[in-house]
Amino acid sequence: MLGARGPFLRARPERAVGPAAGRPGPAPAAPPPSTPPPSSSSAGPEERRRRRRRVAPPGRGAAAAAAGEEQLLRGIFEIGRRSCDVVLSARRLRWSPILPESPAGDSVTGLQVKEEIIEMKDVFSVKLKRRRFVGQKKGGTLLGITIFKCLNKEEKKLTDCAVHLHNFSEDHCHSWFRCLKEIVNGFQNRPKSLKVFVNPSSHKREATHVYYEQVAPLFKLADIKTDVTGTTNILAHTLYGIKHPVTATLHIIMGHVQPLDVCTFSTPSKLLRFGFSAMFGFGARTLALAEKHRWMPSNQRKDFAFIKTLANLRPEECELSFLPLQISQEDSHENDRRKKETIKKNGSKDQWCKIQGHFLNVSIMAIPCLCSMAPRGLAPNTRLNNGSMALIVVQNTSRSEFIKHLKRYASAKNQFNFPFVETYTVEEVKVQPRLKSAFDTKDDTYLNTTSAEGTYPWNIDGDLMEEASEVHIRVHPQLIDLYGVNVDELEGSKATCNCI
């Protein structure tokens, strides 16, 4: 990370390079490669110094034109302690070292010249680099231009990288700076201002510190205006379970937009909320018990609730109605390869299917829900915008078998490959619990007085919701846009979430 100090206070004195003036300036118009050099006997000192340098490889402007790139600027900068010939087009910034000629005037042809390229779509900021004294906020000695780009690392993580183009000429640097800024500002999908929500209780209560130390400097560097608000909503955790804030920030800065499916949760009489995932049964009871022990530290509270709910494992009796996803014929072969994946097609778009019985857990998820206990996701076959939800039904079984099922989430094995687990790909789901009798509610230690009223806990995106009547969940394909990448590109990342 760049830190709060910014990239300019760390500049160190640079050694002078370039022609007789001691500083690199705008590139002189180089003679065509076919033009013979003048005789060494008639050349003056300045001419002999000029002849000791040769731009390589020749004809780069022609190569760029052949590739459909119009050359906008060409000049000399020092990059990595070497004088380089730099060419800018709307799509790329290219440079290669300037090679010397032999004292006799012959070209040095034995050296391998490596051309470096920056794709302008990967650049998110351009700044003038200056040397300033301690406490100096404006002005300073111009050292050149710094280009900040987004760099892909292992596990699909992103990081920021700076490339310094050193040149002491004010006119030269300002003309390049203006052209580079025009190109970067021309990417229309990148945000210019953002409303930022920070959950102060997340990330072990370090979210605010993480934001101002790692995220805010990148937004400032990219000239993005921000309005920061604190919130306890854990939407970001539900969507990505972001462990690497720099990666998330750079996806926003670079304008990586991803359409996203959204679900509505409603009763027969009212809309409850929007969301992305829901659990009924074990996952909801665990959250309900954890909420009753908010005085405990977060990790201890979750572990306690998980173990206590597992020790008192019992099923819920309910009726599930669902509308299977209608798929095309060409997609059916893909679904045939998925074990335990059942998609029933009866020819009618409104043909609902029903299941009734005792279930330990029911999950309805429109996103994969990556988390520490399930690196592949609680619903690994779901994607962010495929217009479907995963309905995962765990029927009543022994505690030992249920624990085996839970352990599978942390491994590479199929967590659904059990006779008591059924999965469906659906568009809509209705969950109708059986109302509790007085005998049932007497021993219910999870919901306290709410159970007497016949309500049931729901875990929706990590938030506790209690309802007594039927809950209807429906997916709305690509309802909103999200800054980020497809979950396919995140496989292998070690994400975390607060869904339980």
Side-chain angles (χ1 to χ4, degrees):
M1 274 300 302
L2 299 173
R5 293 185 301 167
F8 313 120
L9 299 180
R10 300 197 298 273
R12 53 176 174 73
E14 304 294 328
R15 63 183 181 87
V17 295
R23 300 177 179 179
S34 59
T35 305
S39 158
S40 59
S41 60
S42 59
E46 183 66 26
E47 177 63 22
R48 285 196 296 269
R49 276 194 295 267
R50 187 192 66 79
R51 284 173 48 200
R52 290 194 182 102
R53 296 190 173 195
R54 178 179 64 88
V55 175
R60 184 185 305 164
E69 299 180 31
E70 179 183 356
Q71 178 178 306
L72 301 178
L73 289 173
R74 185 173 185 177
I76 295 176
F77 290 90
E78 184 185 279
I79 304 175
R81 296 185 176 275
R82 300 187 69 177
S83 291
C84 298
D85 173 38
V86 185
V87 176
L88 176 65
S89 69
R91 294 178 56 191
R92 295 181 178 91
L93 181 73
R94 306 168 178 262
W95 71 88
S96 59
I98 297 175
L99 300 181
E101 292 183 346
S102 66
D106 301 328
S107 299
V108 179
T109 58
L111 296 177
Q112 294 292 327
V113 177
K114 181 181 179 182
E115 183 182 63
E116 302 284 346
I117 297 176
I118 292 179
E119 299 288 342
M120 290 305 297
K121 64 181 180 63
D122 295 331
V123 176
F124 66 89
S125 181
V126 180
K127 301 292 183 182
L128 289 172
K129 183 178 181 180
R130 297 182 182 274
R131 183 192 297 121
R132 290 172 178 160
F133 297 105
V134 177
Q136 185 180 3
K137 296 182 177 180
K138 294 183 179 181
T141 304
L142 180 67
L143 302 178
I145 300 172
T146 300
I147 296 174
F148 297 91
K149 68 172 184 174
C150 183
L151 185 66
N152 281 294
K153 294 184 71 177
E154 73 282 354
E155 295 184 352
K156 303 298 180 181
K157 290 189 292 186
L158 303 181
T159 186
D160 56 303
C161 175
V163 178
H164 304 283
L165 280 61
H166 295 130
N167 191 300
F168 300 151
S169 169
E170 291 273 354
D171 293 339
H172 185 55
C173 286
H174 276 90
S175 63
W176 276 75
F177 175 75
R178 286 192 298 268
C179 192
L180 287 165
K181 288 288 287 185
E182 272 187 36
I183 296 173
V184 173
N185 292 336
F187 294 108
Q188 299 299 321
N189 59 328
R190 298 185 181 181
K192 301 296 186 293
S193 60
L194 292 169
K195 178 74 172 179
V196 180
F197 294 91
V198 178
N199 182 358
S201 62
S202 71
H203 208 78
K204 298 181 180 179
R205 300 189 179 275
E206 295 179 355
T208 303
H209 175 77
V210 170
Y211 173 78
Y212 285 106
E213 287 295 319
Q214 300 186 46
V215 177
L218 284 174
F219 283 150
K220 183 178 180 181
L221 193 62
D223 298 322
I224 296 176
K225 297 179 180 178
T226 57
D227 180 16
V228 183
T229 301
T231 178
T232 57
N233 193 297
I234 61 169
L235 174 63
H237 265 300
T238 304
L239 291 177
Y240 268 124
I242 294 168
K243 187 177 181 180
H244 305 286
V246 173
T247 296
T249 306
L250 289 173
H251 279 310
I252 296 172
I253 291 173
M254 302 304 292
H256 297 161
V257 178
Q258 166 86 15
L260 186 68
D261 297 341
V262 180
C263 300
T264 51
F265 298 83
S266 60
T267 65
S269 60
K270 62 179 180 180
L271 173 67
L272 298 175
R273 60 176 291 169
F274 291 88
F276 304 93
S277 65
M279 284 186 282
F280 177 80
F282 178 80
R285 288 185 173 277
T286 302
L287 178 62
L289 185 58
E291 288 296 311
K292 292 181 63 177
H293 294 78
R294 296 292 296 181
W295 54 270
M296 299 176 64
S298 177
N299 289 338
Q300 294 182 19
R301 180 173 68 246
K302 293 176 184 177
D303 293 342
F304 166 78
F306 183 85
I307 295 173
K308 185 75 179 290
T309 308
L310 194 60
N312 295 278
L313 186 66
R314 64 184 179 86
E316 294 284 4
E317 184 180 358
C318 63
E319 180 182 272
L320 303 177
S321 304
F322 59 91
L323 183 63
L325 176 68
Q326 304 299 308
I327 59 172
S328 60
Q329 187 66 32
E330 54 268 23
D331 293 334
S332 62
H333 300 295
E334 172 66 22
N335 289 274
D336 289 339
R337 292 199 297 266
R338 297 177 183 174
K339 253 186 176 181
K340 302 295 296 179
E341 188 76 24
T342 306
I343 298 179
K344 299 180 180 179
K345 296 178 62 180
N346 297 321
S348 173
K349 184 177 180 181
D350 296 322
Q351 184 66 45
W352 286 75
C353 301
K354 290 187 179 181
I355 304 176
Q356 188 171 1
H358 292 78
F359 308 110
L360 291 178
N361 191 72
V362 177
S363 299
I364 306 104
M365 298 182 174
I367 60 175
C369 293
L370 306 179
C371 63
S372 56
M373 66 168 287
R376 294 173 55 243
L378 298 176
N381 294 329
T382 307
R383 294 297 176 262
L384 298 180
N385 55 9
N386 62 354
S388 69
M389 301 181 295
L391 172 61
I392 305 167
V393 181
V394 182
Q395 297 180 359
N396 191 21
T397 188
S398 65
R399 183 182 292 105
S400 60
E401 288 297 304
F402 184 66
I403 292 175
K404 289 180 183 178
H405 162 64
L406 295 179
K407 286 183 175 180
R408 283 279 185 93
Y409 281 96
S411 69
K413 296 181 180 180
N414 185 356
Q415 61 262 42
F416 309 131
N417 191 20
F418 291 93
F420 54 87
V421 180
E422 298 179 7
T423 63
Y424 306 87
T425 302
V426 301
E427 298 178 17
E428 297 182 50
V429 179
K430 295 178 181 179
V431 181
Q432 176 64 67
R434 182 182 69 86
L435 292 179
K436 296 177 182 291
S437 65
F439 177 79
D440 294 330
T441 58
K442 188 171 74 170
D443 296 329
D444 195 330
T445 60
Y446 300 97
L447 300 181
N448 202 3
T449 58
T450 56
S451 292
E453 302 171 3
T455 59
Y456 289 80
W458 281 83
N459 181 341
I460 299 182
D461 296 334
D463 292 334
L464 179 63
M465 183 184 75
E466 295 172 348
E467 279 296 324
S469 61
E470 174 186 272
V471 176
H472 183 190
I473 304 100
R474 180 184 177 188
V475 66
H476 301 267
Q478 303 183 15
L479 186 63
I480 62 174
D481 287 332
L482 166 77
Y483 284 111
V485 295
N486 195 290
V487 73
D488 294 330
E489 302 180 37
L490 294 176
E491 290 184 358
S493 64
K494 300 175 181 177
T496 59
C497 78
N498 287 336
C499 57
I500 295 180

